[in-house]
Amino acid sequence: MSTEQSKAEQNTPAYSFGGLHHVQLAIPPGAEELCRQFWGEVLGMTELEKPPVLAARGGCWFRGDGLEVHLGVEKEFGPARKAHPGILVRSLNGLAKRLEERGHEVTWDDSFPGYDRFYASDKLGNRLEFMERSSS
C-alpha cells in the first residue's frame, strides 16, 4: 500500500451525514405566541406537540415541507442577528410577497452565486435567510 493511499484511508471518515433534523433558535421566556404568529400563521408551518419532558421547558416546535424549527427558551435572550439558518424555498418570490404583506421586511442579497436569496427576521429579531437555486 502506498503512503498516499494510506493517508487517503486515514482521512476517510467511518461515518456520513444524513441531513439536518432541525434548527433551533432562541426565544425569550413567554414568547411562544409570537412564534405561533410568525412560524404558524405567517409561514404556514404546523406546530408539533413537544414531548412532555421538553414541553415543561417552554418553547415550541414547527414543521413544514421537511423543515423542522425548534424554538427554545433562553432566559438571557438576545436575537441572532448574524448567525442564521439558510432555508431552501420553492417560489422564493411568493414567500417574499407573503412576508411583506404581513409586515416583515425582506432584504434581497445577490452575492451568493447560484442562488436567489433574501434575509428577513422573525417577530423576535432572529435573522433568517431564505434561498432558492437560481434559474439562470
Side-chain angles (χ1 to χ4, degrees), residues 1-128:
M1 180 180 322
S2 73
T3 304
E4 284 183 32
Q5 186 179 12
S6 177
K7 285 182 182 177
E9 288 175 4
Q10 289 174 358
N11 290 328
T12 303
Y15 58 87
S16 66
F17 297 111
L20 188 63
H21 181 274
H22 69 273
V23 170
Q24 178 157 329
L25 298 172
I27 65 171
E32 289 84 356
E33 190 52 40
L34 287 175
C35 295
R36 289 181 181 103
Q37 291 170 14
F38 183 77
W39 295 96
E41 295 172 22
V42 174
L43 294 183
M45 297 176 82
T46 301
E47 185 170 359
L48 303 174
E49 186 174 335
K50 291 178 67 174
V53 68
L54 298 176
R57 300 178 188 172
C60 42
W61 295 356
F62 292 86
R63 182 184 294 143
D65 295 325
L67 172 66
E68 199 164 301
V69 177
H70 295 183
L71 301 151
V73 173
E74 226 176 71
K75 288 180 184 176
E76 303 294 324
F77 172 76
R81 299 196 188 281
K82 176 100 174 140
H84 61 273
I87 301 171
L88 291 170
V89 175
R90 288 180 303 280
S91 188
L92 189 65
N93 288 322
L95 175 59
K97 181 179 178 186
R98 182 176 178 100
L99 285 165
E100 290 175 328
E101 287 174 349
R102 287 161 174 80
H104 294 273
E105 183 179 349
V106 167
T107 304
W108 290 91
D109 182 342
D110 63 358
S111 62
F112 195 113
Y115 288 87
D116 296 320
R117 71 179 181 164
F118 65 79
Y119 293 96
S121 295
D122 66 10
K123 290 183 174 281
L124 301 165
N126 287 310
R127 183 181 193 198
L128 307 168

